[in-house]
Amino acid sequence: MALAAQPDPGTQHAPPLRGALATTACMETLQVGYLHAVVAAAGCTLSQPFPDNGIDWHISHSAPGHTVDDEVTIKVQLKATYQIPPRPPGPAFPFTLDNAHLVKLARTPVAVHKILVVMLVPRTQDDWLHARHDGLDLRHCCYWTNLAGHPVTGRRRTTVRIPTTRIFDDRALCEIMNRVGAGGTP
């Protein structure tokens, strides 16, 4: 039996023929995959409101240590961009929102807290994923912020600052849920 030759790992391959779906739609699907992975690792549940009224997802977390209820929920608005490079320098990077979205995210007081999660993705889809035998690298990263009380400053759009210290991963989500479960804010 003849064995097929394995390609040299350093060899460059032609990019695959991708579907014709718009890049922005593909970015939305990529960030949903990221969100699902974070929620699963944090031991939370995820639901999608139907119809979507400007909030993409609801995440719930059950824990015996919660004091306000046995299960707490936050609402999540997802956004993605390839215009900000990975590992943005400084304490925050700018992100522009339509004022209608900002008003929904900035409302206070609320019964259910909301966060904005912004994913930075490479400009080229060929750079979004790298699969190996021991893992799947999803690039680049999501960051989160709580915009409660943030003012609208632009005529149609407002630029907000997303802290680079707030990487959205399973540990960050558990910490958010623990604060909300204790009666605090995200």
Side-chain angles (χ1 to χ4, degrees), residues 28 31-32 35 46-59 73-79 97-98 100-107 110 112-117 145-148:
E28 183 177 340
Q31 67 185 356
V32 168
L35 178 68
L46 185 64
S47 62
Q48 191 172 24
F50 182 80
D52 175 341
N53 190 23
I55 295 295
D56 295 324
W57 296 92
H58 294 185
I59 301 173
T73 299
I74 63 169
K75 298 177 181 180
V76 177
Q77 177 66 47
L78 294 176
K79 296 291 183 184
L97 287 169
D98 290 334
H101 272 117
L102 178 57
V103 166
K104 186 171 280 293
L105 293 169
R107 182 182 171 111
V110 294
V112 179
H113 295 283
K114 302 172 190 112
I115 63 171
L116 172 66
V117 175
T145 192
N146 177 4
L147 293 172

mmCIF file of all heavy atoms in Angstrom, residues 28 31-32 35 46-59 73-79 97-98 100-107 110 112-117 145-148:
data_model
loop_
_atom_site.group_PDB
_atom_site.id
_atom_site.type_symbol
_atom_site.label_atom_id
_atom_site.label_comp_id
_atom_site.label_asym_id
_atom_site.label_seq_id
_atom_site.Cartn_x
_atom_site.Cartn_y
_atom_site.Cartn_z
ATOM 1 N N GLU A 28 -20.316 38.435 11.304
ATOM 2 C CA GLU A 28 -21.367 38.235 12.301
ATOM 3 C C GLU A 28 -21.420 36.773 12.740
ATOM 4 O O GLU A 28 -21.509 36.473 13.929
ATOM 5 C CB GLU A 28 -22.718 38.659 11.729
ATOM 6 C CG GLU A 28 -23.847 38.552 12.713
ATOM 7 C CD GLU A 28 -25.175 39.055 12.158
ATOM 8 O OE1 GLU A 28 -25.179 39.819 11.176
ATOM 9 O OE2 GLU A 28 -26.213 38.682 12.734
ATOM 10 N N GLN A 31 -18.367 35.967 15.013
ATOM 11 C CA GLN A 31 -18.476 36.446 16.398
ATOM 12 C C GLN A 31 -19.509 35.655 17.185
ATOM 13 O O GLN A 31 -19.371 35.471 18.387
ATOM 14 C CB GLN A 31 -18.751 37.940 16.445
ATOM 15 C CG GLN A 31 -20.090 38.354 15.925
ATOM 16 C CD GLN A 31 -20.282 39.856 15.881
ATOM 17 O OE1 GLN A 31 -19.432 40.616 16.318
ATOM 18 N NE2 GLN A 31 -21.398 40.295 15.337
ATOM 19 N N VAL A 32 -20.531 35.138 16.521
ATOM 20 C CA VAL A 32 -21.505 34.281 17.203
ATOM 21 C C VAL A 32 -20.829 32.982 17.639
ATOM 22 O O VAL A 32 -21.069 32.483 18.737
ATOM 23 C CB VAL A 32 -22.744 34.031 16.313
ATOM 24 C CG1 VAL A 32 -23.614 32.920 16.873
ATOM 25 C CG2 VAL A 32 -23.551 35.311 16.161
ATOM 26 N N LEU A 35 -18.863 33.816 20.686
ATOM 27 C CA LEU A 35 -19.777 33.947 21.820
ATOM 28 C C LEU A 35 -20.203 32.572 22.340
ATOM 29 O O LEU A 35 -20.193 32.331 23.551
ATOM 30 C CB LEU A 35 -21.001 34.768 21.433
ATOM 31 C CG LEU A 35 -22.065 34.941 22.523
ATOM 32 C CD1 LEU A 35 -21.545 35.807 23.662
ATOM 33 C CD2 LEU A 35 -23.341 35.533 21.938
ATOM 34 N N LEU A 46 -27.523 30.338 26.702
ATOM 35 C CA LEU A 46 -27.585 31.397 25.704
ATOM 36 C C LEU A 46 -28.914 31.307 24.979
ATOM 37 O O LEU A 46 -29.357 30.215 24.612
ATOM 38 C CB LEU A 46 -26.429 31.189 24.711
ATOM 39 C CG LEU A 46 -26.201 32.219 23.623
ATOM 40 C CD1 LEU A 46 -25.815 33.557 24.215
ATOM 41 C CD2 LEU A 46 -25.094 31.720 22.692
ATOM 42 N N SER A 47 -29.561 32.446 24.791
ATOM 43 C CA SER A 47 -30.798 32.460 24.014
ATOM 44 C C SER A 47 -30.793 33.694 23.127
ATOM 45 O O SER A 47 -30.175 34.705 23.442
ATOM 46 C CB SER A 47 -32.027 32.448 24.927
ATOM 47 O OG SER A 47 -32.056 33.594 25.749
ATOM 48 N N GLN A 48 -31.503 33.565 22.027
ATOM 49 C CA GLN A 48 -31.587 34.647 21.065
ATOM 50 C C GLN A 48 -33.022 35.148 21.030
ATOM 51 O O GLN A 48 -33.932 34.367 20.740
ATOM 52 C CB GLN A 48 -31.144 34.163 19.693
ATOM 53 C CG GLN A 48 -30.947 35.248 18.693
ATOM 54 C CD GLN A 48 -30.315 34.724 17.399
ATOM 55 O OE1 GLN A 48 -30.421 33.549 17.081
ATOM 56 N NE2 GLN A 48 -29.663 35.595 16.675
ATOM 57 N N PRO A 49 -33.233 36.434 21.332
ATOM 58 C CA PRO A 49 -34.601 36.934 21.295
ATOM 59 C C PRO A 49 -35.142 36.935 19.873
ATOM 60 O O PRO A 49 -34.401 37.181 18.924
ATOM 61 C CB PRO A 49 -34.487 38.354 21.843
ATOM 62 C CG PRO A 49 -33.056 38.724 21.727
ATOM 63 C CD PRO A 49 -32.267 37.459 21.700
ATOM 64 N N PHE A 50 -36.410 36.618 19.755
ATOM 65 C CA PHE A 50 -37.062 36.630 18.448
ATOM 66 C C PHE A 50 -38.399 37.312 18.570
ATOM 67 O O PHE A 50 -39.209 36.901 19.392
ATOM 68 C CB PHE A 50 -37.258 35.202 17.920
ATOM 69 C CG PHE A 50 -37.871 35.194 16.558
ATOM 70 C CD1 PHE A 50 -37.092 35.419 15.441
ATOM 71 C CD2 PHE A 50 -39.231 35.000 16.392
ATOM 72 C CE1 PHE A 50 -37.657 35.434 14.177
ATOM 73 C CE2 PHE A 50 -39.804 35.018 15.139
ATOM 74 C CZ PHE A 50 -39.013 35.231 14.023
ATOM 75 N N PRO A 51 -38.632 38.372 17.862
ATOM 76 C CA PRO A 51 -37.673 38.999 16.954
ATOM 77 C C PRO A 51 -36.632 39.801 17.717
ATOM 78 O O PRO A 51 -36.857 40.219 18.854
ATOM 79 C CB PRO A 51 -38.547 39.918 16.096
ATOM 80 C CG PRO A 51 -39.717 40.246 16.956
ATOM 81 C CD PRO A 51 -39.936 39.041 17.842
ATOM 82 N N ASP A 52 -35.515 40.036 17.063
ATOM 83 C CA ASP A 52 -34.420 40.829 17.627
ATOM 84 C C ASP A 52 -34.868 42.286 17.687
ATOM 85 O O ASP A 52 -35.242 42.868 16.685
ATOM 86 C CB ASP A 52 -33.203 40.659 16.712
ATOM 87 C CG ASP A 52 -32.019 41.511 17.111
ATOM 88 O OD1 ASP A 52 -32.189 42.494 17.843
ATOM 89 O OD2 ASP A 52 -30.913 41.183 16.668
ATOM 90 N N ASN A 53 -34.851 42.861 18.885
ATOM 91 C CA ASN A 53 -35.263 44.249 19.064
ATOM 92 C C ASN A 53 -34.052 45.124 19.394
ATOM 93 O O ASN A 53 -34.100 45.962 20.278
ATOM 94 C CB ASN A 53 -36.325 44.341 20.168
ATOM 95 C CG ASN A 53 -36.961 45.714 20.232
ATOM 96 O OD1 ASN A 53 -36.953 46.459 19.257
ATOM 97 N ND2 ASN A 53 -37.489 46.058 21.386
ATOM 98 N N GLY A 54 -32.944 44.881 18.686
ATOM 99 C CA GLY A 54 -31.741 45.679 18.920
ATOM 100 C C GLY A 54 -30.785 45.078 19.915
ATOM 101 O O GLY A 54 -29.725 45.631 20.174
ATOM 102 N N ILE A 55 -31.135 43.958 20.506
ATOM 103 C CA ILE A 55 -30.244 43.209 21.400
ATOM 104 C C ILE A 55 -30.115 41.813 20.818
ATOM 105 O O ILE A 55 -31.115 41.143 20.547
ATOM 106 C CB ILE A 55 -30.795 43.151 22.842
ATOM 107 C CG1 ILE A 55 -30.836 44.554 23.465
ATOM 108 C CG2 ILE A 55 -29.967 42.199 23.699
ATOM 109 C CD1 ILE A 55 -29.476 45.219 23.671
ATOM 110 N N ASP A 56 -28.872 41.365 20.614
ATOM 111 C CA ASP A 56 -28.636 40.110 19.904
ATOM 112 C C ASP A 56 -28.862 38.849 20.739
ATOM 113 O O ASP A 56 -29.414 37.873 20.240
ATOM 114 C CB ASP A 56 -27.203 40.083 19.361
ATOM 115 C CG ASP A 56 -26.948 41.146 18.316
ATOM 116 O OD1 ASP A 56 -27.868 41.432 17.514
ATOM 117 O OD2 ASP A 56 -25.840 41.702 18.296
ATOM 118 N N TRP A 57 -28.388 38.854 21.989
ATOM 119 C CA TRP A 57 -28.381 37.621 22.792
ATOM 120 C C TRP A 57 -28.702 37.905 24.244
ATOM 121 O O TRP A 57 -28.444 39.000 24.738
ATOM 122 C CB TRP A 57 -27.004 36.955 22.711
ATOM 123 C CG TRP A 57 -26.663 36.505 21.343
ATOM 124 C CD1 TRP A 57 -25.971 37.215 20.384
ATOM 125 C CD2 TRP A 57 -27.010 35.268 20.734
ATOM 126 N NE1 TRP A 57 -25.881 36.476 19.234
ATOM 127 C CE2 TRP A 57 -26.500 35.278 19.420
ATOM 128 C CE3 TRP A 57 -27.707 34.145 21.176
ATOM 129 C CZ2 TRP A 57 -26.665 34.216 18.553
ATOM 130 C CZ3 TRP A 57 -27.864 33.074 20.309
ATOM 131 C CH2 TRP A 57 -27.346 33.123 19.017
ATOM 132 N N HIS A 58 -29.193 36.883 24.925
ATOM 133 C CA HIS A 58 -29.366 36.896 26.377
ATOM 134 C C HIS A 58 -28.510 35.755 26.918
ATOM 135 O O HIS A 58 -28.599 34.621 26.435
ATOM 136 C CB HIS A 58 -30.817 36.651 26.769
ATOM 137 C CG HIS A 58 -31.740 37.749 26.352
ATOM 138 N ND1 HIS A 58 -33.073 37.759 26.704
ATOM 139 C CD2 HIS A 58 -31.561 38.878 25.635
ATOM 140 C CE1 HIS A 58 -33.649 38.825 26.213
ATOM 141 N NE2 HIS A 58 -32.753 39.520 25.550
ATOM 142 N N ILE A 59 -27.700 36.051 27.919
ATOM 143 C CA ILE A 59 -26.865 35.038 28.575
ATOM 144 C C ILE A 59 -27.340 34.915 30.015
ATOM 145 O O ILE A 59 -27.504 35.921 30.704
ATOM 146 C CB ILE A 59 -25.377 35.428 28.552
ATOM 147 C CG1 ILE A 59 -24.877 35.619 27.116
ATOM 148 C CG2 ILE A 59 -24.540 34.375 29.279
ATOM 149 C CD1 ILE A 59 -23.463 36.167 27.027
ATOM 150 N N THR A 73 -29.367 37.154 34.374
ATOM 151 C CA THR A 73 -29.269 37.289 32.922
ATOM 152 C C THR A 73 -28.693 38.649 32.559
ATOM 153 O O THR A 73 -28.968 39.639 33.244
ATOM 154 C CB THR A 73 -30.670 37.124 32.284
ATOM 155 O OG1 THR A 73 -31.164 35.815 32.598
ATOM 156 C CG2 THR A 73 -30.630 37.302 30.779
ATOM 157 N N ILE A 74 -27.903 38.677 31.494
ATOM 158 C CA ILE A 74 -27.476 39.935 30.879
ATOM 159 C C ILE A 74 -27.856 39.885 29.408
ATOM 160 O O ILE A 74 -28.046 38.800 28.835
ATOM 161 C CB ILE A 74 -25.966 40.208 31.030
ATOM 162 C CG1 ILE A 74 -25.131 39.134 30.319
ATOM 163 C CG2 ILE A 74 -25.582 40.377 32.482
ATOM 164 C CD1 ILE A 74 -23.659 39.479 30.188
ATOM 165 N N LYS A 75 -27.975 41.058 28.817
ATOM 166 C CA LYS A 75 -28.236 41.171 27.380
ATOM 167 C C LYS A 75 -26.936 41.584 26.703
ATOM 168 O O LYS A 75 -26.161 42.374 27.257
ATOM 169 C CB LYS A 75 -29.324 42.209 27.108
ATOM 170 C CG LYS A 75 -30.661 41.844 27.726
ATOM 171 C CD LYS A 75 -31.681 42.941 27.481
ATOM 172 C CE LYS A 75 -33.018 42.607 28.119
ATOM 173 N NZ LYS A 75 -34.022 43.671 27.876
ATOM 174 N N VAL A 76 -26.723 41.053 25.485
ATOM 175 C CA VAL A 76 -25.471 41.299 24.771
ATOM 176 C C VAL A 76 -25.754 41.801 23.364
ATOM 177 O O VAL A 76 -26.559 41.205 22.638
ATOM 178 C CB VAL A 76 -24.620 40.005 24.701
ATOM 179 C CG1 VAL A 76 -23.355 40.232 23.886
ATOM 180 C CG2 VAL A 76 -24.284 39.503 26.088
ATOM 181 N N GLN A 77 -25.089 42.875 23.006
ATOM 182 C CA GLN A 77 -25.102 43.372 21.634
ATOM 183 C C GLN A 77 -23.723 43.088 21.044
ATOM 184 O O GLN A 77 -22.714 43.491 21.616
ATOM 185 C CB GLN A 77 -25.383 44.878 21.599
ATOM 186 C CG GLN A 77 -25.337 45.482 20.212
ATOM 187 C CD GLN A 77 -26.440 44.960 19.312
ATOM 188 O OE1 GLN A 77 -27.594 44.899 19.707
ATOM 189 N NE2 GLN A 77 -26.092 44.560 18.104
ATOM 190 N N LEU A 78 -23.682 42.361 19.927
ATOM 191 C CA LEU A 78 -22.424 42.022 19.272
ATOM 192 C C LEU A 78 -22.144 42.975 18.120
ATOM 193 O O LEU A 78 -23.048 43.328 17.367
ATOM 194 C CB LEU A 78 -22.472 40.602 18.709
ATOM 195 C CG LEU A 78 -22.580 39.449 19.687
ATOM 196 C CD1 LEU A 78 -22.725 38.130 18.923
ATOM 197 C CD2 LEU A 78 -21.382 39.397 20.605
ATOM 198 N N LYS A 79 -20.887 43.333 17.979
ATOM 199 C CA LYS A 79 -20.407 44.115 16.841
ATOM 200 C C LYS A 79 -19.048 43.548 16.448
ATOM 201 O O LYS A 79 -18.348 42.961 17.273
ATOM 202 C CB LYS A 79 -20.259 45.605 17.190
ATOM 203 C CG LYS A 79 -21.547 46.300 17.534
ATOM 204 C CD LYS A 79 -22.430 46.440 16.318
ATOM 205 C CE LYS A 79 -23.706 47.206 16.633
ATOM 206 N NZ LYS A 79 -24.597 47.263 15.486
ATOM 207 N N LEU A 97 -20.949 53.848 17.152
ATOM 208 C CA LEU A 97 -22.270 53.221 17.165
ATOM 209 C C LEU A 97 -23.308 54.192 16.626
ATOM 210 O O LEU A 97 -23.207 55.405 16.852
ATOM 211 C CB LEU A 97 -22.675 52.873 18.598
ATOM 212 C CG LEU A 97 -21.997 51.726 19.292
ATOM 213 C CD1 LEU A 97 -22.347 51.733 20.774
ATOM 214 C CD2 LEU A 97 -22.408 50.410 18.669
ATOM 215 N N ASP A 98 -24.325 53.649 15.965
ATOM 216 C CA ASP A 98 -25.488 54.466 15.635
ATOM 217 C C ASP A 98 -26.113 54.913 16.951
ATOM 218 O O ASP A 98 -26.158 54.145 17.922
ATOM 219 C CB ASP A 98 -26.512 53.660 14.832
ATOM 220 C CG ASP A 98 -26.041 53.353 13.424
ATOM 221 O OD1 ASP A 98 -25.210 54.110 12.884
ATOM 222 O OD2 ASP A 98 -26.519 52.347 12.864
ATOM 223 N N ALA A 100 -29.134 55.254 17.852
ATOM 224 C CA ALA A 100 -30.253 54.416 18.308
ATOM 225 C C ALA A 100 -29.742 53.205 19.092
ATOM 226 O O ALA A 100 -30.332 52.827 20.109
ATOM 227 C CB ALA A 100 -31.092 53.965 17.121
ATOM 228 N N HIS A 101 -28.634 52.609 18.647
ATOM 229 C CA HIS A 101 -28.050 51.480 19.387
ATOM 230 C C HIS A 101 -27.497 51.940 20.728
ATOM 231 O O HIS A 101 -27.674 51.282 21.749
ATOM 232 C CB HIS A 101 -26.933 50.806 18.574
ATOM 233 C CG HIS A 101 -27.411 49.733 17.675
ATOM 234 N ND1 HIS A 101 -27.300 49.802 16.320
ATOM 235 C CD2 HIS A 101 -28.012 48.558 17.942
ATOM 236 C CE1 HIS A 101 -27.809 48.723 15.782
ATOM 237 N NE2 HIS A 101 -28.253 47.951 16.746
ATOM 238 N N LEU A 102 -26.822 53.083 20.705
ATOM 239 C CA LEU A 102 -26.238 53.591 21.948
ATOM 240 C C LEU A 102 -27.323 53.901 22.976
ATOM 241 O O LEU A 102 -27.183 53.559 24.154
ATOM 242 C CB LEU A 102 -25.379 54.831 21.684
ATOM 243 C CG LEU A 102 -24.770 55.468 22.928
ATOM 244 C CD1 LEU A 102 -23.927 54.479 23.716
ATOM 245 C CD2 LEU A 102 -23.956 56.698 22.544
ATOM 246 N N VAL A 103 -28.414 54.515 22.551
ATOM 247 C CA VAL A 103 -29.500 54.835 23.475
ATOM 248 C C VAL A 103 -30.006 53.561 24.148
ATOM 249 O O VAL A 103 -30.234 53.518 25.359
ATOM 250 C CB VAL A 103 -30.641 55.586 22.751
ATOM 251 C CG1 VAL A 103 -31.906 55.638 23.584
ATOM 252 C CG2 VAL A 103 -30.180 56.994 22.380
ATOM 253 N N LYS A 104 -30.167 52.486 23.374
ATOM 254 C CA LYS A 104 -30.641 51.216 23.932
ATOM 255 C C LYS A 104 -29.629 50.648 24.939
ATOM 256 O O LYS A 104 -29.996 50.171 26.009
ATOM 257 C CB LYS A 104 -30.891 50.210 22.812
ATOM 258 C CG LYS A 104 -31.511 48.919 23.309
ATOM 259 C CD LYS A 104 -31.951 48.043 22.182
ATOM 260 C CE LYS A 104 -33.246 48.436 21.583
ATOM 261 N NZ LYS A 104 -34.439 48.308 22.390
ATOM 262 N N LEU A 105 -28.337 50.732 24.612
ATOM 263 C CA LEU A 105 -27.297 50.178 25.487
ATOM 264 C C LEU A 105 -27.003 51.062 26.692
ATOM 265 O O LEU A 105 -26.539 50.575 27.723
ATOM 266 C CB LEU A 105 -26.007 49.959 24.692
ATOM 267 C CG LEU A 105 -26.072 48.873 23.623
ATOM 268 C CD1 LEU A 105 -24.839 48.931 22.728
ATOM 269 C CD2 LEU A 105 -26.220 47.497 24.258
ATOM 270 N N ALA A 106 -27.264 52.365 26.585
ATOM 271 C CA ALA A 106 -26.911 53.305 27.647
ATOM 272 C C ALA A 106 -28.036 53.542 28.649
ATOM 273 O O ALA A 106 -27.821 54.182 29.676
ATOM 274 C CB ALA A 106 -26.491 54.640 27.021
ATOM 275 N N ARG A 107 -29.213 53.037 28.368
ATOM 276 C CA ARG A 107 -30.363 53.270 29.248
ATOM 277 C C ARG A 107 -30.047 52.865 30.690
ATOM 278 O O ARG A 107 -29.412 51.842 30.948
ATOM 279 C CB ARG A 107 -31.565 52.481 28.749
ATOM 280 C CG ARG A 107 -32.796 52.725 29.581
ATOM 281 C CD ARG A 107 -33.947 51.883 29.080
ATOM 282 N NE ARG A 107 -35.031 51.990 30.007
ATOM 283 C CZ ARG A 107 -36.169 52.615 29.752
ATOM 284 N NH1 ARG A 107 -36.372 53.158 28.577
ATOM 285 N NH2 ARG A 107 -37.107 52.679 30.666
ATOM 286 N N VAL A 110 -31.971 49.865 34.653
ATOM 287 C CA VAL A 110 -32.509 48.743 33.895
ATOM 288 C C VAL A 110 -32.801 47.574 34.824
ATOM 289 O O VAL A 110 -32.211 47.460 35.893
ATOM 290 C CB VAL A 110 -31.523 48.274 32.794
ATOM 291 C CG1 VAL A 110 -31.339 49.335 31.728
ATOM 292 C CG2 VAL A 110 -30.184 47.863 33.391
ATOM 293 N N VAL A 112 -32.516 44.414 33.476
ATOM 294 C CA VAL A 112 -31.522 43.457 32.983
ATOM 295 C C VAL A 112 -30.388 44.262 32.351
ATOM 296 O O VAL A 112 -30.608 45.034 31.416
ATOM 297 C CB VAL A 112 -32.137 42.484 31.952
ATOM 298 C CG1 VAL A 112 -31.081 41.517 31.427
ATOM 299 C CG2 VAL A 112 -33.313 41.720 32.557
ATOM 300 N N HIS A 113 -29.174 44.074 32.871
ATOM 301 C CA HIS A 113 -28.019 44.824 32.382
ATOM 302 C C HIS A 113 -27.649 44.409 30.963
ATOM 303 O O HIS A 113 -27.895 43.271 30.543
ATOM 304 C CB HIS A 113 -26.823 44.611 33.311
ATOM 305 C CG HIS A 113 -27.050 45.171 34.677
ATOM 306 N ND1 HIS A 113 -26.967 46.515 34.950
ATOM 307 C CD2 HIS A 113 -27.377 44.564 35.840
ATOM 308 C CE1 HIS A 113 -27.218 46.719 36.226
ATOM 309 N NE2 HIS A 113 -27.480 45.546 36.787
ATOM 310 N N LYS A 114 -27.018 45.351 30.246
ATOM 311 C CA LYS A 114 -26.596 45.112 28.868
ATOM 312 C C LYS A 114 -25.111 45.387 28.746
ATOM 313 O O LYS A 114 -24.581 46.284 29.407
ATOM 314 C CB LYS A 114 -27.345 46.041 27.913
ATOM 315 C CG LYS A 114 -28.838 45.904 27.964
ATOM 316 C CD LYS A 114 -29.496 47.000 27.125
ATOM 317 C CE LYS A 114 -30.978 47.023 27.375
ATOM 318 N NZ LYS A 114 -31.435 48.200 28.065
ATOM 319 N N ILE A 115 -24.453 44.621 27.863
ATOM 320 C CA ILE A 115 -23.061 44.908 27.528
ATOM 321 C C ILE A 115 -22.914 44.908 26.007
ATOM 322 O O ILE A 115 -23.694 44.277 25.292
ATOM 323 C CB ILE A 115 -22.059 43.915 28.163
ATOM 324 C CG1 ILE A 115 -22.265 42.485 27.665
ATOM 325 C CG2 ILE A 115 -22.100 43.991 29.687
ATOM 326 C CD1 ILE A 115 -21.164 41.500 28.085
ATOM 327 N N LEU A 116 -21.922 45.637 25.559
ATOM 328 C CA LEU A 116 -21.521 45.638 24.161
ATOM 329 C C LEU A 116 -20.266 44.790 24.051
ATOM 330 O O LEU A 116 -19.323 44.979 24.830
ATOM 331 C CB LEU A 116 -21.231 47.072 23.697
ATOM 332 C CG LEU A 116 -20.608 47.228 22.314
ATOM 333 C CD1 LEU A 116 -21.584 46.783 21.218
ATOM 334 C CD2 LEU A 116 -20.179 48.682 22.093
ATOM 335 N N VAL A 117 -20.253 43.858 23.106
ATOM 336 C CA VAL A 117 -19.088 43.021 22.847
ATOM 337 C C VAL A 117 -18.640 43.309 21.417
ATOM 338 O O VAL A 117 -19.408 43.124 20.475
ATOM 339 C CB VAL A 117 -19.410 41.521 23.037
ATOM 340 C CG1 VAL A 117 -18.218 40.659 22.643
ATOM 341 C CG2 VAL A 117 -19.818 41.239 24.484
ATOM 342 N N THR A 145 -17.776 46.099 27.086
ATOM 343 C CA THR A 145 -17.946 47.272 27.928
ATOM 344 C C THR A 145 -19.414 47.418 28.300
ATOM 345 O O THR A 145 -20.299 46.927 27.601
ATOM 346 C CB THR A 145 -17.427 48.556 27.247
ATOM 347 O OG1 THR A 145 -17.354 49.603 28.213
ATOM 348 C CG2 THR A 145 -18.299 48.984 26.084
ATOM 349 N N ASN A 146 -19.634 48.090 29.412
ATOM 350 C CA ASN A 146 -20.972 48.445 29.872
ATOM 351 C C ASN A 146 -21.147 49.928 29.567
ATOM 352 O O ASN A 146 -20.423 50.757 30.111
ATOM 353 C CB ASN A 146 -21.075 48.171 31.378
ATOM 354 C CG ASN A 146 -22.399 48.584 31.961
ATOM 355 O OD1 ASN A 146 -23.307 49.017 31.258
ATOM 356 N ND2 ASN A 146 -22.525 48.455 33.271
ATOM 357 N N LEU A 147 -22.078 50.264 28.702
ATOM 358 C CA LEU A 147 -22.284 51.660 28.290
ATOM 359 C C LEU A 147 -23.404 52.355 29.059
ATOM 360 O O LEU A 147 -23.830 53.443 28.661
ATOM 361 C CB LEU A 147 -22.565 51.712 26.787
ATOM 362 C CG LEU A 147 -21.384 51.302 25.906
ATOM 363 C CD1 LEU A 147 -21.824 51.193 24.450
ATOM 364 C CD2 LEU A 147 -20.226 52.269 26.052
ATOM 365 N N ALA A 148 -23.880 51.773 30.147
ATOM 366 C CA ALA A 148 -24.967 52.390 30.925
ATOM 367 C C ALA A 148 -24.605 53.827 31.283
ATOM 368 O O ALA A 148 -23.529 54.098 31.811
ATOM 369 C CB ALA A 148 -25.240 51.593 32.190
#
